[in-house]
């Protein structure tokens, strides 16, 4: 039986500003990528989301970022590796406490936005992510894309990488994500999202924005749906229903799932 997690970025509000339908999304996903305060999220929002995730059996992951509240973590930042490691450890530690306070645990780590995309090719930032996860310990896996610098460096550091695919983002012919500034980068039709995710989960392929078929070298462990995609909660519901109807088992991420 094919097994896969559906994960989504949550807790991305800040203070008086709400962002995305966290409650609606958490009804349909199996793993929550919780913002840790550097690109979004504040302690109260983080704790509330962790409490909801723990109560519904959703795996909790630390979504770590560049220190970039103003840019929502979607701008590359030229940071020394040692400083970036410490920033990431700070975020992982904060999220771990909130997860444990909620009666759950920290199950995995995932980079956010520009850090995720940059580290796919940027050796020093990929190395920072892997070093932070390895230092945090307790067997934390790392969500990332196969055949990237992040994947290779994680393996070399003794960190378990888990292959991630994207529900609502277009792919290049090289199997990377189309830049958000480009037309067609975001996919918002619920059935289109569900159909392409079923293909990725069961066939290990997806159609690139330029028409080529992308073959994933690793079986996807998780499908990511962004919470700021218009209609994300409805898309998550359609995606989960489509996968289950096709016999795909939806599971959590990390130890204890």
């Amino acid at each position: 039986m094919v097994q896969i997690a559906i994960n989504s970025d949550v807790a991305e509000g800040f203070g008086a500003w709400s962002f995305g339908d966290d409650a609606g999304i958490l009804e349909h996903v199996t793993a929550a990528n919780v913002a840790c305060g550097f690109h979004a999220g504040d302690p109260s929002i983080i704790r509330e989301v962790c409490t909801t995730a723990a109560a519904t059996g959703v795996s909790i992951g630390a979504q770590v970022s560049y220190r970039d509240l103003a840019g929502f973590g979607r701008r590359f930042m030229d940071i020394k590796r040692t400083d970036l490691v410490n920033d990431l450890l700070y975020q992982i530690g904060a999220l771990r406490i909130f997860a444990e306070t909620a009666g759950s645990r920290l199950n995995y780590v995932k980079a956010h936005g520009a850090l995720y995309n940059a580290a796919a090719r940027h050796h020093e930032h990929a190395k920072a992510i892997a070093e932070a996860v390895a230092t945090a310990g307790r067997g934390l896996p790392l969500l990332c894309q196969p055949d990237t610098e992040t994947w290779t460096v994680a393996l070399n550091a003794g960190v378990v990488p888990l292959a991630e695919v994207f529900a609502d983002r277009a792919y290049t012919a090289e199997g990377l994500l189309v830049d958000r500034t480009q037309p067609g980068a975001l996919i918002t039709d619920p059935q289109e999202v569900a159909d392409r995710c079923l293909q990725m989960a069961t066939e290990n392929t997806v159609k690139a924005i330029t028409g080529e078929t992308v073959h994933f070298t690793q079986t996807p462990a998780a499908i990511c749906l962004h919470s700021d995609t218009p209609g994300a909660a409805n898309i998550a519901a359609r995606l989960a229903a489509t996968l289950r109807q096709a016999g795909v088992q939806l599971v959590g991420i990390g130890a204890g799932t």
Side-chain angles (χ1 to χ4, degrees), residues 31-52:
N33 314 321
V34 183
C36 300
F38 273 33
H39 76 278
D42 63 39
S44 294
I45 290 173
I46 294 168
R47 185 169 187 177
E48 180 181 359
V49 167
C50 284
T51 298
T52 301

Side-chain angles (χ1 to χ4, degrees), residues 10 28 38 47 70-71 91 105 116-117 121 124 133 138 149 161 163 191 193-194 197 206-207 230-231 246-247:
V10 291
H28 304 291
F38 273 33
R47 185 169 187 177
Q91 295 173 75
R105 63 182 296 173
Y116 187 104
N117 292 328
R121 296 188 175 95
E124 286 297 293
V133 176
R138 304 190 193 180
E149 195 71 13
Q191 195 57 55
V193 169
C197 287
V206 70
K207 186 177 181 180

Side-chain angles (χ1 to χ4, degrees), residues 17 25 27 32 67 73 83 99-100 102-104 139-140 145 174-175 177 246-247:
W17 289 270
I25 289 170
E27 290 182 13
R67 191 191 297 262
D83 291 338
E100 292 176 355
S104 184
L140 288 172
Q145 290 179 279
E174 294 75 32
L177 300 182

Side-chain angles (χ1 to χ4, degrees), residues 64-205:
V64 296
S65 169
Y66 292 128
R67 191 191 297 262
D68 183 27
L69 278 174
F72 196 62
R74 287 183 175 160
R75 303 180 295 188
F76 172 76
M77 304 189 78
D78 189 12
I79 305 171
K80 290 193 304 182
R81 179 174 59 83
T82 52
D83 291 338
L84 183 55
V85 169
N86 291 333
D87 279 354
L88 301 182
L89 284 172
Y90 187 98
Q91 295 173 75
I92 293 168
L95 208 284
R96 174 176 278 154
I97 288 295
F98 282 118
E100 292 176 355
T101 299
S104 184
R105 63 182 296 173
L106 181 63
N107 290 98
Y108 63 96
V109 176
K110 175 185 172 178
H112 166 81
L115 177 58
Y116 187 104
N117 292 328
R121 296 188 175 95
H122 192 297
H123 177 76
E124 286 297 293
H125 287 191
K127 192 172 180 179
I129 295 170
E131 182 178 339
V133 176
T135 302
R138 304 190 193 180
L140 288 172
L142 174 67
L143 282 187
C144 59
Q145 290 179 279
D147 304 321
T148 59
E149 195 71 13
T150 310
W151 184 277
T152 301
V153 170
L155 287 174
N156 291 338
V159 173
V160 176
L162 298 178
E164 180 176 42
V165 294
F166 288 82
D168 50 0
R169 294 290 305 281
Y171 278 85
T172 68
E174 294 75 32
L176 298 176
L177 300 182
V178 174
D179 190 283
R180 281 180 175 269
T181 63
Q182 300 303 309
L186 191 64
I187 302 167
T188 60
D189 179 79
Q191 195 57 55
E192 181 181 358
V193 169
D195 290 343
R196 73 197 298 269
C197 287
L198 181 59
Q199 177 182 342
M200 289 190 284
T202 59
E203 300 178 19
N204 287 9
T205 64

